[in-house]
Amino acid sequence: MIGKDPEPPKTDIEAAKDQVGDFFNENCPSLSFKQRMIGFVICASVGYLLAFGSFFRFAKCLAGDCTRFAVIYSLGNIIALAATFFLVGPCKQVKQMFSETRRVATIVFLCAIACTITFALVKGLSPKVRVTLIVISCLVQLLAWIWYCLSYIPFGRACVKNAFRGYCGKCMDDE
């Protein structure tokens, strides 16, 4: 064109992003607001039912059989996270998950899920070690999920930080 510089060639990463975006646009039809809300509520409900329902197996976990508890708890969290895709779409949600304010919570959450499933399925761990690692990784999952969710609430993280500072300050003053 006259007077316009040609567009620079796209990098491999940009081309891959465009292909993923095209894939989702072609295979994920546009949903109405009502359909998005219904999809979110159903998916989130199933996810939370699985996550909280897994605690019926927690006694067995403490006795040494943690595989079902860990896998079902983690699967529930994954499904609950996927429910948010209905609200803004998968591509935008993934971008938001890895934005600067949510990046650490997202990485910790996803790593905790991977660790939980790994500890549950890897052979060779003693039952005591397996139970301890699974309980710790599930606790990390929960705390990371809470921290992630607080990032969507205006001043949510600041309120929690201030509450802990106030509480810890009172604990230190009691000594």
Side-chain angles (χ1 to χ4, degrees):
M1 288 192 179
I2 300 173
K4 266 194 163 181
D5 292 332
E7 290 185 23
K10 290 185 178 186
T11 65
D12 290 339
I13 293 174
E14 290 171 338
K17 284 181 183 178
D18 287 346
Q19 287 176 346
V20 169
D22 291 344
F23 171 80
F24 278 113
N25 289 336
E26 291 172 10
N27 295 303
C28 298
S30 297
L31 300 175
S32 69
F33 178 77
K34 184 177 179 180
Q35 290 170 326
R36 288 179 183 276
M37 289 299 111
I38 291 170
F40 171 75
V41 168
I42 290 171
C43 202
S45 298
V46 168
Y48 289 128
L49 279 172
L50 284 172
F52 294 128
S54 68
F55 282 96
F56 288 113
R57 299 185 185 277
F58 193 67
K60 287 184 180 180
C61 179
L62 294 178
D65 181 21
C66 281
T67 302
R68 285 186 177 173
F69 164 75
V71 171
I72 292 172
Y73 180 76
S74 298
L75 182 64
N77 281 333
I78 292 168
I79 292 171
L81 178 64
T84 61
F85 291 175
F86 282 100
L87 298 177
V88 294
C91 292
K92 188 173 180 183
Q93 179 61 26
V94 170
K95 285 179 186 176
Q96 288 178 352
M97 287 170 61
F98 289 96
S99 69
E100 190 174 333
T101 58
R102 296 182 184 99
R103 185 176 300 134
V104 172
T106 299
I107 291 170
V108 169
F109 180 64
L110 295 175
C111 287
I113 290 172
C115 287
T116 303
I117 293 171
T118 302
F119 297 146
L121 300 177
V122 166
K123 305 289 185 208
L125 292 174
S126 71
K128 266 188 164 178
V129 171
R130 182 183 310 274
V131 169
T132 304
L133 291 173
I134 287 174
V135 169
I136 289 170
S137 60
C138 285
L139 184 61
V140 170
Q141 269 188 63
L142 177 65
L143 294 175
W145 179 247
I146 290 170
W147 196 247
Y148 174 80
C149 290
L150 285 173
S151 73
Y152 284 97
I153 300 169
F155 306 108
R157 287 180 173 179
C159 289
V160 170
K161 284 180 185 178
N162 289 333
F164 275 109
R165 280 190 198 116
Y167 179 75
C168 290
K170 288 180 182 180
C171 290
M172 298 299 177
D173 292 339
D174 291 341
E175 292 179 7

